[in-house]
Amino acid sequence: MRRPRRDIVWIPTFALLVAFAVPWPLWGVDRVVAGLPVWIWWHVAWLGLCAVLFSRFARSGAWERGMGLRPEANGEDRGAGGDARGPAAGGDRP
């Protein structure tokens, strides 16, 4: 099964999300904005960014393709019976 190039983009995206989940650029900063430390605002913004990116990831179908649940119809990835819309061969079996 070939992995589309657009699915490969998610790997560095999630690596960046993990790397900056901890506000290490703000270590040592004691600044307060609107009554809260800046690092709290970092987390709020970061969680919003993560929610948006996870939504895009889920809508892109990359998870289903990666798990072999809904591969793209490119000839090699056809489901059982040759139906490109069906589940992948070997998937969804008990």
Side-chain angles (χ1 to χ4, degrees):
M1 179 169 91
R2 285 186 48 194
R3 186 175 296 253
R5 184 178 296 178
R6 66 179 185 253
D7 290 351
I8 301 295
V9 171
W10 288 110
I11 295 170
T13 300
F14 286 120
L16 284 174
L17 286 177
V18 169
F20 288 100
V22 176
W24 55 266
L26 297 174
W27 286 357
V29 175
D30 295 332
R31 189 172 186 164
V32 175
V33 175
L36 294 174
V38 173
W39 61 270
I40 293 285
W41 293 114
W42 173 281
H43 279 296
V44 170
W46 204 252
L47 288 174
L49 177 65
C50 288
V52 168
L53 287 176
F54 184 76
S55 173
R56 294 189 68 146
F57 172 73
R59 289 183 186 171
S60 74
W63 178 257
E64 287 86 3
R65 285 189 298 276
M67 294 292 115
L69 298 176
R70 199 181 66 184
E72 292 186 347
N74 62 3
E76 299 174 5
D77 297 327
R78 291 190 180 268
D83 184 11
R85 295 170 295 171
D92 294 335
R93 290 184 184 161

